[in-house]
Amino acid sequence: CEDTRAGEACDYAAEYCCGDYSYGEGIGFFWYLNSPTCYCDFFNYAQDEFQHKLKLKKLNTSNEITYPCGQFQLLVPEVTEGNPREFERASLEAIYNRTNGQNWTNSSGWMNVTVDHCQWYGITCDDRVVTGIDLRDNNLAGQFPVYARNFTYSDGTFAAESDWQVNKYGLANLYNLETLDLADNKLTGTIEYRPLYNLHLLTHFDVSGNQLSGEVNAFVSPSLIYTNFSNNRFTYMRSFERYKGSFRTLLFCDVSNNDIQQDASVLLENIPPNIKQFVASNNPITGSLPASLNDLPQLRQFNLSSNALSGELPKFAESILSLQELDLSNQANGFTGS
């Protein structure tokens, strides 16, 4: 979409990045099944940058996407069945069950029917809604609990795990969450990122020190400031996407001590312009560093030590006054220039 600046490319890109949808022919209304918040960001980006109104290609229709930015606010009351506090409690209970809660190091208050869930260990509430989860180093185990319990239809079949509207109970539906710290546990498997993008208030995301694998997506939510994926088993990092809100807000990103095997020039091509700290040491990242690193006026720490980088060193021209730590040591191939 960005390379071609063509409307049709943006149409396909929106579907690839933001997931499934349906369309009601009778009412002329699009129903965004994975992440209306993602479609909202993409809708605004395509219109502001390319003066293009998105059309959805999968349905082979010329209908333009109807404004998606209000759909999330409309559907949350429906998903929570008008009782957000009970819904939040059920979501936390499902997370407890999915992540081996009986063997947590500290589960004070959890699952006790006489204790308000805002008083459970690791839970922070503001105005009686859950805004923070801090279960760092608490022996959580199992799959990352994006959805911890699936919605079951009347015929006994399960809804698709990616359908955020009908799946219930899990991290992806704690809509007021601002901070999430699940570091130093035993979580395994991959992370399904699309539903998490509906957590539009989330600014702090830390899953470091687990056994997670697959893809890193540093833009988990639209408002991220801090994200830490270090000390896991990730093998790929999704490129930074300019249309997402976190492109403007992200200040700290750590993906060190993984197995990310990508070319640095592609990986860092669209590094967020306001980034202050970027750490990706101890990965088999190859290739040369891109020129975009010369345009980071707030950069303070940049560490890609112990990789397999080569080519010419960037000058870090815009960050020369703010840069406090630059570590590109111990490269398998070595740099040229000075």
Side-chain angles (χ1 to χ4, degrees), residues 73-85:
Q73 287 77 11
L74 289 173
L75 292 179
V76 167
E78 179 179 330
V79 173
T80 60
E81 297 179 346
N83 197 329
R85 294 207 79 238

Side-chain angles (χ1 to χ4, degrees), residues 200-236:
H200 62 292
L201 300 177
L202 187 66
T203 61
H204 182 106
F205 183 86
D206 191 342
V207 294
S208 59
N210 280 281
Q211 301 164 28
L212 297 165
S213 57
E215 179 185 79
V216 167
N217 188 340
F219 292 167
V220 179
S221 75
S223 305
L224 273 179
I225 296 174
Y226 177 102
T227 182
N228 194 337
F229 296 86
S230 64
N231 296 288
N232 277 285
R233 301 173 181 174
F234 294 109
T235 56
Y236 180 82

Side-chain angles (χ1 to χ4, degrees), residues 100-159:
N100 194 35
Q102 291 182 339
N103 293 311
W104 286 2
T105 304
N106 189 338
S107 58
S108 176
W110 283 77
M111 312 303 282
N112 188 329
V113 296
T114 66
V115 179
D116 187 276
H117 62 269
C118 287
Q119 303 301 316
W120 292 357
Y121 172 77
I123 301 302
T124 299
C125 291
D126 185 10
D127 197 21
R128 303 185 75 221
V129 297
V130 175
T131 58
I133 299 178
D134 184 355
L135 295 172
R136 171 184 286 265
D137 193 17
N138 203 43
N139 203 38
L140 277 68
Q143 293 283 318
F144 191 83
V146 174
Y147 290 124
R149 191 167 82 199
N150 292 337
F151 179 80
T152 307
Y153 293 110
S154 57
D155 63 0
T157 59
F158 289 105

Side-chain angles (χ1 to χ4, degrees), residues 252-274:
F252 178 95
C253 180
D254 189 344
V255 294
S256 61
N257 297 294
N258 280 287
D259 193 27
I260 297 172
Q261 305 176 36
Q262 288 169 264
D263 189 296
S265 62
V266 176
L267 183 65
L268 301 174
E269 181 180 8
N270 289 320
I271 190 169
N274 297 316

Side-chain angles (χ1 to χ4, degrees), residues 72-91 129 151 164-176 199:
F72 177 75
Q73 287 77 11
L74 289 173
L75 292 179
V76 167
E78 179 179 330
V79 173
T80 60
E81 297 179 346
N83 197 329
R85 294 207 79 238
E86 286 189 12
F87 180 77
E88 284 188 337
R89 186 183 181 99
S91 292
V129 297
F151 179 80
W164 79 283
Q165 295 173 3
V166 296
N167 271 292
K168 297 188 177 181
Y169 315 125
L171 287 172
N173 291 331
L174 294 173
Y175 302 119
N176 295 290
L199 304 181

Side-chain angles (χ1 to χ4, degrees), residues 287-304:
S288 58
L289 295 174
S292 58
L293 297 179
N294 291 320
D295 300 315
L296 302 173
Q298 298 191 66
L299 188 64
R300 296 179 183 175
Q301 179 189 22
F302 188 80
N303 187 339
L304 264 79

